């Protein structure tokens, strides 16, 4: 009897539980359905707000609802109940929108009717490379699950909303290549999970907030090409994981904080085109802003760019520590730097590019440089280097550009320069070079630009120069070349610029008249004989 009563009670309980479960399932189904309908309605309202540039092809043509009795042939699902089949839309198993990838989709309009509050599951948004404009709405903070957002290469203006600091799950924030102005909000320091921050190529002003130092998980910080002012905050020294720091093309001033030396993972550093001046010595009579020695601590650095600033004084010897690592590019051009080049720099076999032009460096050019097996580009122009050109440059098999103009270099041009057969540009102008032009130059068949003007080179121009058939620019002016211009100059059919102002005599070779690409020709200050070839009037002006 007791067992029978127990069975009745158990059956009632099971039935009640089944009713509750069914009711809950129906409620959940209604909730999911309502959420999906809300997403559809909100997305379609934003689509309707976009500008229709062409009547034949409206924006987002796949964003539409089929009649209730129509089906999608590809998956046999009613597309009126979900946007998951629309272009650029991805959903989770519950058919809630989680990703929106509409990059380069010819969208023109604003985000003012974007459904921020109606997409609670959205974690990924890419609207880059469109024509979106207006402000970035503060409602963006309603996307509290957002991990990735890319609004780059649009026409957004106004300020970055401080509410963006509420998106604490963000790992990637890209607002680059827009017209954003105002300051970087201090609230950005709340994004502790952020790994990639791109704010470059905008019109941001004011100073960099110290709170940016709270982003200790940053790998890339790109804030170049803005109007940022003030000093570089010492808090950047907290970026122990940072591999990329670009602050160039701003109006930053003051000193480079010594905390920069804490960035042991840094690979690329760009500080050029600012008003940085390094440290100020105690003596008021020696106001030389120097390159901070803390840069020598960045053992993983691959690219160091300090160009277009007001640095003065020498390059610190500690910079030589970088040569033990993987330093590939160094740019310190257009400053007021002075003194010798650290000896350790010449042992840095990983170097690919060296740009030190327009400073006051001095030293023996034959001892300080040459013999880099990976070097592709070097510019040492307009400094105070002296002595003769090293034969070691002939042992740079990858070199394509060699510029040493405007120094105090003497002696002759070493013939083994002709071994750099991949050389495309050679500029040795405005020095004190003497002697002949080596016939070995005839091997430089890749040469596009050759500038030897402003020296004391003499004797005849070798016939081998006629082998340089890729030359676009040739300047041999202001030397002591004599006798005649070689007839085979007519082989240089690609010449666009030719300056032969010297002490040439005899006649102007008629073969010069076939140089149909010439846009500038200077034959002045010579001692030519005979008549000007009549065909020279056919040259393009």
């Amino acid at each position: 009897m007791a067992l029978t009563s127990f069975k009745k009670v158990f059956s009632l309980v099971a039935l009640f539980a089944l009713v509750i479960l069914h009711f809950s399932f129906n409620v959940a189904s209604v909730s999911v359905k309502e959420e999906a309908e809300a997403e559809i309605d909100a997305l379609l309202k934003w689509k309707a707000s976009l500008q229709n540039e062409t009547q034949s092809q409206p924006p987002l043509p796949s964003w539409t609802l089929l009649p209730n009795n129509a089906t999608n042939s590809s998956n046999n699902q009613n597309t009126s109940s979900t946007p998951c089949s629309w272009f650029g839309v991805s959903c989770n198993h519950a058919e809630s929108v989680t990703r929106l990838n509409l990059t380069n989709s010819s969208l023109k309009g604003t985000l003012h009717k974007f459904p921020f509050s109606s997409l609670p599951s959205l974690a990924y948004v890419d609207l880059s490379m469109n024509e979106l404009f207006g402000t970035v709405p503060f409602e963006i903070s309603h996307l509290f699950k957002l991990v990735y957002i890319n609004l780059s290469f649009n026409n957004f203006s106004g300020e970055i909303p401080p509410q963006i600091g509420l998106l604490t799950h963000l790992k990637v924030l890209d607002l680059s290549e827009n017209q954003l102005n105002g300051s970087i909000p201090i609230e950005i320091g709340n994004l502790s999970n952020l790994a990639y921050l791109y704010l470059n190529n905008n019109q941001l002003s004011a100073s960099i907030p110290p709170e940016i130092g709270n982003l200790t998980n940053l790998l890339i910080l790109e804030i170049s090409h803005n109007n940022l002012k003030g000093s570089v905050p010492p808090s950047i020294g907290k970026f122990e994981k940072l591999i990329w720091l670009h602050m160039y093309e701003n109006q930053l001033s003051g000193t480079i904080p010594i905390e920069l030396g804490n960035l042991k993972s840094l690979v690329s550093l760009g500080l050029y085109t600012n008003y940085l001046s390094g440290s100020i010595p105690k003596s008021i009579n020696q106001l030389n802003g120097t390159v901070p020695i803390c840069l020598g601590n960045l053992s993983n650095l691959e690219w160091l760019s300090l160009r277009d600033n007001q640095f003065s004084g020498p390059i610190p010897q500690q910079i030589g520590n970088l040569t033990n690592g993987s330093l590939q590019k160094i740019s310190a051009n257009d400053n007021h730097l002075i003194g010798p080049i650290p000896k350790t720099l010449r042992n840095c076999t990983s170097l690919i590019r060296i740009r030190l032009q327009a400073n006051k460096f001095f030293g023996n050019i034959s001892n300080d440089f040459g013999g880099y097996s990976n070097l592709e580009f070097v510019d040492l122009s307009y400094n105070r280097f002296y002595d003769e050109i090293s034969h070691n440059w002939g042992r740079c098999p990858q070199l394509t550009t060699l510029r040493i103009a405007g120094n105090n270099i003497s002696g002759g041009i070493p013939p083994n320069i002709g071994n750099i057969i991949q050389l495309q540009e050679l500029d040795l102008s405005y020095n004190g070079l003497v002697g002949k032009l080596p016939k070995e130059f005839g091997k430089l068949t890749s040469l596009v630009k050759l500038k030897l003007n402003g020296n004391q080179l003499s004797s005849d121009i070798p016939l081998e120069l006629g082998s340089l058939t890729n030359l676009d620019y040739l300047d041999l002016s202001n030397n002591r070349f004599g006798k005649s211009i070689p007839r085979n100059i007519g082989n240089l059919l690609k010449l666009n610029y030719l300056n032969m102002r010297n002490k040439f005599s005899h006649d102007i070779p008629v073969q010069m008249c076939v140089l149909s690409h010439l846009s500038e020709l200077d034959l002045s200050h010579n001692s030519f004989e005979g008549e000007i070839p009549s065909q020279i009037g056919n040259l393009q002006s």
Side-chain angles (χ1 to χ4, degrees), residues 488-506:
N488 64 356
I489 196 168
N491 296 347
L492 311 183
L493 296 176
K494 295 183 180 180
L495 273 181
N496 179 65
Y497 178 97
L498 176 60
N499 193 332
M500 302 290 278
R501 184 168 53 185
N502 269 280
K503 299 183 180 297
F504 291 112
S505 57
H506 300 295

Side-chain angles (χ1 to χ4, degrees), residues 287-360:
L287 293 177
N288 295 322
T290 58
V291 177
I293 62 175
C294 64
L295 295 182
N297 298 334
L298 310 179
S299 56
N300 290 315
L301 203 64
E302 293 181 2
W303 178 39
L304 173 60
S305 182
L306 305 173
R307 68 182 180 94
D308 293 293
N309 278 292
Q310 299 178 18
F311 289 117
S312 59
I315 292 182
Q317 289 294 326
Q318 288 82 355
I319 212 79
N321 297 340
L322 303 180
T323 64
N324 298 322
S326 53
L327 187 65
Q328 297 180 10
K329 302 177 184 179
I330 179 168
S331 300
N333 53 288
D334 294 278
N335 281 284
H336 306 293
L337 296 167
I338 195 169
I341 303 299
K343 293 181 179 180
T344 48
L345 193 62
R346 63 187 177 194
N347 299 324
C348 187
T349 57
S350 60
L351 277 172
I352 295 175
R353 293 178 66 89
I354 303 175
R355 300 195 63 171
L356 301 178
Q357 72 270 22
N359 281 287
K360 299 176 182 178

Side-chain angles (χ1 to χ4, degrees), residues 464-511:
E464 287 79 3
L465 199 69
S467 302
L468 309 184
T469 54
N470 283 305
L471 272 184
D472 170 80
Y473 190 108
L474 176 59
D475 194 342
L476 301 179
S477 64
N478 297 308
N479 279 286
R480 297 179 179 178
F481 293 117
K483 296 186 179 180
S484 61
I485 296 176
R487 299 292 188 252
N488 64 356
I489 196 168
N491 296 347
L492 311 183
L493 296 176
K494 295 183 180 180
L495 273 181
N496 179 65
Y497 178 97
L498 176 60
N499 193 332
M500 302 290 278
R501 184 168 53 185
N502 269 280
K503 299 183 180 297
F504 291 112
S505 57
H506 300 295
D507 58 347
I508 298 174
V510 68
Q511 291 84 354

